[in-house]
Coordinates of all heavy atoms in Angstrom, one line a residue:
P1 N 65.1 17.5 63.4 CA 65.4 17.6 62.0 C 64.2 17.6 61.1 O 64.1 18.2 60.1 CB 66.4 16.5 61.8 CG 67.0 16.2 63.0 CD 65.9 16.4 64.1
S2 N 63.1 16.8 61.6 CA 61.9 16.7 60.9 C 60.7 17.2 61.7 O 60.5 16.7 62.8 CB 61.7 15.2 60.5 OG 60.4 15.1 59.8
L3 N 60.0 18.3 61.2 CA 58.9 18.9 61.8 C 57.7 18.8 60.9 O 57.7 19.1 59.8 CB 59.2 20.3 62.2 CG 58.0 21.2 62.6 CD1 57.5 20.7 63.9 CD2 58.4 22.7 62.7
A4 N 56.7 18.2 61.6 CA 55.3 18.1 60.8 C 54.3 18.8 61.6 O 54.2 18.7 62.9 CB 54.9 16.6 60.7
I5 N 53.5 19.7 60.9 CA 52.6 20.5 61.6 C 51.4 20.8 60.8 O 51.5 20.9 59.5 CB 53.2 21.9 62.0 CG1 52.3 22.6 63.0 CG2 53.6 22.7 60.9 CD1 53.1 23.6 63.9
D6 N 50.1 20.8 61.4 CA 49.0 21.2 60.6 C 49.1 22.7 60.3 O 49.5 23.5 61.1 CB 47.7 21.0 61.5 CG 46.5 21.1 60.7 OD1 46.0 22.3 60.5 OD2 45.9 20.1 60.3
F7 N 48.8 23.1 59.1 CA 49.0 24.4 58.6 C 48.2 25.4 59.5 O 48.7 26.6 59.7 CB 48.5 24.6 57.2 CG 48.9 25.9 56.6 CD1 50.2 26.1 56.2 CD2 48.0 26.9 56.3 CE1 50.7 27.3 55.7 CE2 48.4 28.1 55.7 CZ 49.7 28.3 55.4
S8 N 47.1 25.0 60.1 CA 46.4 25.9 61.0 C 47.2 26.1 62.3 O 46.8 27.1 63.1 CB 45.0 25.3 61.3 OG 45.1 24.0 61.9
S9 N 48.2 25.4 62.6 CA 49.1 25.6 63.7 C 50.4 26.3 63.4 O 51.3 26.4 64.3 CB 49.3 24.3 64.4 OG 48.1 23.7 64.9
M10 N 50.5 26.8 62.2 CA 51.7 27.5 61.8 C 52.1 28.7 62.6 O 53.1 29.1 62.7 CB 51.7 27.9 60.3 CG 52.0 26.8 59.3 SD 53.8 26.3 59.4 CE 54.5 27.6 58.5
D11 N 51.1 29.3 63.3 CA 51.2 30.4 64.1 C 52.2 30.0 65.3 O 53.0 30.8 65.7 CB 50.0 31.0 64.7 CG 50.1 32.2 65.6 OD1 50.6 33.2 65.1 OD2 50.0 32.1 66.8
L12 N 52.1 28.8 65.8 CA 53.0 28.3 66.8 C 54.4 28.2 66.3 O 55.4 28.7 67.1 CB 52.5 26.9 67.3 CG 53.4 26.3 68.4 CD1 53.5 27.1 69.6 CD2 52.9 24.9 68.7
V13 N 54.6 27.8 65.1 CA 56.0 27.7 64.5 C 56.5 29.1 64.4 O 57.7 29.4 64.7 CB 56.0 27.0 63.2 CG1 57.3 27.0 62.5 CG2 55.4 25.6 63.3
K14 N 55.7 30.1 63.9 CA 56.1 31.4 63.8 C 56.6 32.1 65.1 O 57.6 32.7 65.2 CB 54.9 32.3 63.2 CG 55.3 33.8 63.1 CD 54.0 34.6 62.6 CE 53.1 34.7 63.8 NZ 51.9 35.7 63.5
R15 N 55.8 31.7 66.2 CA 56.1 32.2 67.5 C 57.4 31.6 68.0 O 58.3 32.3 68.6 CB 55.0 32.0 68.5 CG 53.7 32.8 68.2 CD 52.6 32.3 69.1 NE 52.9 32.4 70.5 CZ 52.3 31.6 71.4 NH1 51.5 30.7 71.0 NH2 52.7 31.8 72.7
C16 N 57.6 30.3 67.8 CA 58.8 29.6 68.2 C 60.1 30.1 67.5 O 61.1 30.3 68.0 CB 58.7 28.1 68.1 SG 57.6 27.3 69.3
V17 N 59.9 30.3 66.2 CA 61.0 30.8 65.3 C 61.4 32.2 65.8 O 62.6 32.5 65.9 CB 60.6 30.8 63.8 CG1 61.6 31.6 63.0 CG2 60.5 29.3 63.3
E18 N 60.4 33.1 66.0 CA 60.7 34.4 66.4 C 61.4 34.4 67.8 O 62.3 35.3 68.1 CB 59.4 35.3 66.4 CG 59.6 36.8 66.8 CD 60.5 37.6 65.9 OE1 60.7 37.1 64.7 OE2 60.9 38.6 66.3
H19 N 60.8 33.6 68.7 CA 61.4 33.5 70.0 C 62.9 33.1 70.0 O 63.7 33.7 70.6 CB 60.6 32.5 70.8 CG 61.1 32.4 72.3 ND1 60.7 33.2 73.3 CD2 61.9 31.4 72.8 CE1 61.3 32.8 74.4 NE2 62.0 31.8 74.1
T20 N 63.2 32.1 69.2 CA 64.5 31.6 69.0 C 65.4 32.6 68.4 O 66.6 32.9 68.7 CB 64.6 30.3 68.2 OG1 63.7 29.3 68.8 CG2 65.9 29.7 68.1
W21 N 64.9 33.3 67.4 CA 65.6 34.3 66.6 C 66.0 35.5 67.5 O 67.2 36.0 67.3 CB 64.7 34.8 65.4 CG 65.4 35.7 64.4 CD1 65.2 37.1 64.4 CD2 66.1 35.4 63.3 NE1 65.9 37.6 63.4 CE2 66.5 36.6 62.6 CE3 66.6 34.2 62.8 CZ2 67.2 36.6 61.5 CZ3 67.4 34.2 61.6 CH2 67.7 35.4 61.0
T22 N 65.1 36.0 68.3 CA 65.4 37.1 69.1 C 66.4 36.7 70.3 O 66.9 37.7 70.9 CB 64.1 37.7 69.7 OG1 63.4 36.7 70.4 CG2 63.2 38.3 68.6
H23 N 66.5 35.5 70.6 CA 67.4 35.1 71.7 C 68.8 34.7 71.2 O 69.6 34.2 72.1 CB 66.8 34.0 72.5 CG 65.7 34.4 73.4 ND1 64.4 34.8 72.9 CD2 65.6 34.6 74.8 CE1 63.6 35.1 73.9 NE2 64.3 35.0 75.1
V24 N 69.1 34.9 70.0 CA 70.4 34.6 69.4 C 71.3 35.7 69.9 O 70.9 36.9 69.9 CB 70.4 34.5 67.9 CG1 71.8 34.4 67.4 CG2 69.6 33.3 67.5
D25 N 72.5 35.4 70.2 CA 73.6 36.3 70.7 C 73.7 37.4 69.6 O 73.9 37.2 68.4 CB 74.9 35.6 70.8 CG 76.0 36.5 71.5 OD1 75.8 37.8 71.4 OD2 76.9 36.0 72.0
K26 N 73.5 38.7 70.0 CA 73.5 39.8 69.1 C 74.8 40.1 68.4 O 75.0 40.7 67.4 CB 73.1 41.1 69.9 CG 71.6 41.1 70.3 CD 71.3 42.4 71.0 CE 69.8 42.3 71.4 NZ 69.4 43.6 72.1
N27 N 75.9 39.5 69.0 CA 77.2 39.6 68.5 C 77.5 38.6 67.3 O 78.5 38.7 66.6 CB 78.3 39.4 69.5 CG 78.2 40.5 70.6 OD1 78.0 41.6 70.3 ND2 78.4 40.0 71.9
I28 N 76.6 37.7 67.1 CA 76.7 36.7 66.0 C 76.1 37.3 64.7 O 75.1 37.9 64.7 CB 75.9 35.4 66.4 CG1 76.6 34.7 67.6 CG2 75.9 34.4 65.2 CD1 75.9 33.5 68.1
D29 N 76.9 37.1 63.6 CA 76.4 37.5 62.3 C 75.4 36.5 61.8 O 75.8 35.4 61.4 CB 77.7 37.6 61.4 CG 77.3 38.2 60.0 OD1 76.1 38.4 59.8 OD2 78.2 38.5 59.3
R30 N 74.1 36.9 61.7 CA 73.1 36.0 61.3 C 73.2 35.6 59.8 O 72.8 34.6 59.4 CB 71.7 36.6 61.5 CG 71.4 36.7 63.0 CD 70.1 37.5 63.2 NE 69.6 37.4 64.6 CZ 68.6 38.2 65.0 NH1 68.0 39.0 64.2 NH2 68.2 38.1 66.3
Q31 N 73.9 36.5 59.0 CA 74.0 36.2 57.6 C 75.0 35.0 57.4 O 74.8 34.3 56.4 CB 74.4 37.5 56.9 CG 73.4 38.6 56.9 CD 72.1 38.3 56.3 OE1 72.0 37.5 55.3 NE2 71.0 38.8 56.9
C32 N 76.0 35.0 58.2 CA 77.1 34.0 58.0 C 76.9 32.8 58.9 O 77.5 31.7 58.6 CB 78.5 34.7 58.2 SG 78.8 36.1 57.1
S33 N 76.3 32.9 60.0 CA 76.2 31.8 60.9 C 75.0 30.9 60.5 O 74.0 31.3 59.9 CB 75.9 32.3 62.3 OG 77.0 33.2 62.7
P34 N 75.1 29.6 60.9 CA 73.9 28.6 60.7 C 72.7 29.1 61.5 O 72.9 29.8 62.5 CB 74.5 27.3 61.1 CG 75.5 27.7 62.1 CD 76.2 28.9 61.6
P35 N 71.6 28.8 61.0 CA 70.3 29.2 61.6 C 70.2 28.5 63.0 O 70.7 27.5 63.2 CB 69.2 28.8 60.7 CG 69.8 27.7 59.9 CD 71.2 28.0 59.8
P36 N 69.5 29.2 64.0 CA 69.4 28.6 65.3 C 68.3 27.6 65.4 O 67.6 27.5 66.5 CB 69.0 29.9 66.1 CG 68.3 30.8 65.2 CD 68.9 30.5 63.9
W37 N 68.2 26.8 64.4 CA 67.3 25.6 64.4 C 67.8 24.5 63.5 O 68.7 24.7 62.7 CB 65.8 26.1 64.0 CG 65.9 26.9 62.7 CD1 66.1 26.6 61.5 CD2 65.6 28.3 62.7 NE1 66.1 27.6 60.6 CE2 65.7 28.7 61.4 CE3 65.3 29.3 63.7 CZ2 65.5 30.0 61.0 CZ3 65.1 30.6 63.2 CH2 65.3 30.9 61.9
R38 N 67.3 23.3 63.7 CA 67.8 22.2 63.0 C 66.8 21.6 62.0 O 67.1 20.6 61.3 CB 68.1 21.0 64.0 CG 69.2 21.4 65.0 CD 69.4 20.4 66.0 NE 69.7 19.0 65.4 CZ 69.6 18.0 66.1 NH1 69.0 17.9 67.3 NH2 69.8 16.7 65.5
T39 N 65.7 22.3 61.8 CA 64.7 21.8 60.9 C 65.2 21.7 59.4 O 65.5 22.8 58.9 CB 63.4 22.6 61.0 OG1 63.0 22.8 62.3 CG2 62.3 22.0 60.2
K40 N 65.2 20.6 58.8 CA 65.5 20.4 57.5 C 64.3 19.9 56.6 O 64.2 20.2 55.4 CB 66.7 19.5 57.3 CG 68.0 20.1 57.8 CD 68.3 21.4 57.0 CE 69.6 22.0 57.4 NZ 69.9 23.3 56.7
T41 N 63.5 19.0 57.3 CA 62.3 18.5 56.6 C 61.1 19.1 57.2 O 60.9 18.9 58.4 CB 62.3 17.0 56.7 OG1 63.5 16.5 56.0 CG2 61.1 16.4 55.9
L42 N 60.2 19.8 56.5 CA 59.0 20.4 57.0 C 57.9 19.7 56.3 O 57.8 19.6 55.1 CB 59.0 21.9 56.7 CG 57.7 22.6 57.1 CD1 57.5 22.6 58.6 CD2 57.7 24.0 56.6
T43 N 57.0 19.1 57.1 CA 55.8 18.4 56.7 C 54.6 19.3 57.0 O 54.4 19.6 58.2 CB 55.6 17.0 57.2 OG1 56.8 16.2 56.8 CG2 54.4 16.3 56.6
L44 N 53.7 19.6 56.1 CA 52.5 20.4 56.3 C 51.3 19.5 56.0 O 51.2 18.9 54.9 CB 52.5 21.7 55.4 CG 53.7 22.7 55.7 CD1 53.6 23.8 54.7 CD2 53.6 23.2 57.1
S45 N 50.4 19.6 56.9 CA 49.1 18.8 56.7 C 47.9 19.8 56.7 O 48.1 20.9 57.2 CB 49.0 17.8 57.7 OG 48.9 18.3 59.0

C-alpha cells in the first residue's frame, strides 16, 4: 500500500507497472475494474 522510491529509480516502477498492466486478463474492462496494484501512498525522494 505504501511505496517509497528515489526518483532516479522511477524507471523500475515504470517497468513493473507496465509488466503488471500487460499481464492483466484481456477480458477485464480496465476502465471499470480496480487497478492491478495496491499502491495508495507514493513517497518520492
Side-chain angles (χ1 to χ4, degrees):
S2 176
L3 168 64
I5 192 159
D6 190 277
F7 192 72
S8 58
S9 294
M10 278 290 283
D11 180 66
L12 175 60
V13 177
K14 181 187 72 173
R15 292 169 60 204
C16 287
V17 167
E18 180 64 15
H19 180 84
T20 303
W21 185 263
T22 55
H23 284 74
V24 172
D25 189 339
K26 294 182 179 180
N27 296 320
I28 295 177
D29 186 351
R30 289 174 175 170
Q31 298 297 326
C32 301
S33 302
W37 44 73
R38 297 171 58 198
T39 310
K40 289 300 179 183
T41 299
L42 177 64
T43 301
L44 297 175
S45 62

